[in-house]
């Protein structure tokens, strides 16, 4: 009887996992497939917050999926390779712990920008968003997490030792590595840490500094990161004319 209950619980566990990852994949795909019902040219471009959230989500769910697969395989196969992979994903688990809060921070900042970007007629421009420098900081914080995750997977392959993480989720450089390589990894480690905390702090500050006059599309300029690919403008696309609130 206990074996039957165990089998049912295991099946329910895998069903829930497949449903969760299937739903996550479908949502991400829909972001790229959704079009305006009347004209694809009216489809708004992907926002920086959306791109950063998808990148962080892919890292987060990817690490936990790899850890789950390794745990499942280890129950049936005893292998040093599986044990090593588990150590890699466990280190990555500590690295991606910042992903959920960074995603929320990106969306909170975008929601504040949309609140300020509302035009006189009550509409919100499709190109509205936080200041360009704040969007660059979103990318900076997101990429720093990705760099840390990459290091967590590369260092074990180079050193052959188990991975150790510090309290900030950063990978500790193994002691038996070449001094030059050690210095390089330490530089990357602290640069990534500074980028993540600096970028996220700047995004928080931007929520207090942004005004309708210094956010897109009312402000001029562009960010350091190239914008995402735009939907080709069709013959039915209207010309963008947005009145500045209060003017």
């Amino acid at each position: 009887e206990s074996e039957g209950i165990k089998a049912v619980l295991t099946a329910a566990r895998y069903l829930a996992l497949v449903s969760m990852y299937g739903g996550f994949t479908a949502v991400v795909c829909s972001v790229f497939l959704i079009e305006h019902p009347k004209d694809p040219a009216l489809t708004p471009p992907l926002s920086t917050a959306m791109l950063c959230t998808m990148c962080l989500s892919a890292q987060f769910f990817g690490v936990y999926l790899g850890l789950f697969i390794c745990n499942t395989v280890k129950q049936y196969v005893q292998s040093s390779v599986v044990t090593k992979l588990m150590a890699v994903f466990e280190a990555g688990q500590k690295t991606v712990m910042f992903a959920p809060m960074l995603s929320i921070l990106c969306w909170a900042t975008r929601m504040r920008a949309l609140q300020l970007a509302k035009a006189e007629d009550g509409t919100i421009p499709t190109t509205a968003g936080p200041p360009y420098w704040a969007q660059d900081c979103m990318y900076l914080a997101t990429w720093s997490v990705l760099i840390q995750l990459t290091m967590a997977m590369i260092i074990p392959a180079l050193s052959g030792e188990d991975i150790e993480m510090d309290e900030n989720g950063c990978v500790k450089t193994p002691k038996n590595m070449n001094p030059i390589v050690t210095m390089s990894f330490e530089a990357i480690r602290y640069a990534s840490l500074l980028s993540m905390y600096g970028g996220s702090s700047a995004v928080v500050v931007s929520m207090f500094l942004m005004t309708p006059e210094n956010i897109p599309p009312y402000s001029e300029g562009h960010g350091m990161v190239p914008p995402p690919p735009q939907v080709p403008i069709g013959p039915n696309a209207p010309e963008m004319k947005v009145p500045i609130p209060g003017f």
Side-chain angles (χ1 to χ4, degrees), residues 7-207:
V8 172
L9 293 177
T10 302
R13 178 188 179 191
Y14 281 98
L15 180 61
L17 182 72
V18 172
S19 301
M20 181 179 66
Y21 278 90
F24 162 74
T25 304
V27 170
V28 173
C29 291
S30 70
V31 172
F32 297 96
L33 298 178
I34 292 176
E35 293 182 349
H36 194 278
K38 296 182 179 180
D39 188 349
L42 301 177
T43 306
L46 295 179
S47 65
T48 299
M50 175 62 73
L51 294 173
C52 290
T53 300
M54 288 192 296
C55 181
L56 292 168
S57 299
Q59 297 176 54
F60 185 85
F61 284 104
V63 167
Y64 277 93
L65 178 62
L67 189 60
F68 182 85
I69 293 175
C70 289
N71 281 324
T72 303
V73 173
K74 191 175 181 180
Q75 295 178 0
Y76 303 98
V77 178
Q78 297 297 327
S79 172
S80 59
V81 176
V82 176
T83 303
K84 193 69 174 181
L85 287 175
M86 284 191 63
V88 171
F89 285 114
E90 286 174 354
Q93 182 182 11
K94 298 177 182 178
T95 302
V96 299
M97 65 181 179
F98 297 101
M101 291 309 301
L102 285 175
S103 299
I104 293 174
L105 179 61
C106 291
W107 278 104
T109 307
R110 174 167 172 78
M111 291 174 66
R112 174 58 177 164
L114 296 182
Q115 182 185 33
L116 295 174
K118 184 177 293 186
E120 295 177 347
D121 58 359
T123 60
I124 299 177
T126 58
T127 56
Y132 291 113
W133 60 269
Q135 297 184 40
D136 291 336
C137 291
M138 290 181 186
Y139 285 120
L140 184 64
T142 300
W143 290 341
S144 65
V145 176
L146 179 59
I147 292 173
Q148 281 296 319
L149 181 60
T150 303
M151 289 182 62
M153 296 183 173
I154 290 179
I155 288 180
L158 297 179
S159 66
E161 293 184 354
D162 293 336
I163 307 173
E164 295 184 7
M165 310 290 289
D166 62 13
E167 64 277 3
N168 295 308
C170 297
V171 182
K172 290 185 177 180
T173 307
K175 298 179 180 179
N176 66 341
M177 295 185 68
N178 183 281
I180 298 179
V181 178
T182 300
M183 292 178 61
S184 300
F185 276 116
E186 286 294 326
I188 296 174
R189 172 189 173 190
Y190 285 107
S192 300
L193 183 64
L194 179 62
S195 299
M196 183 181 66
Y197 281 103
S200 57
S201 299
V203 173
V204 173
V205 171
S206 71
M207 286 192 283

Side-chain angles (χ1 to χ4, degrees), residues 211-232:
T211 62
E213 293 79 20
N214 63 16
I215 61 175
Y218 310 119
S219 63
E220 298 181 355
H222 56 83
M224 298 177 62
V225 180
Q230 306 293 314
V231 177

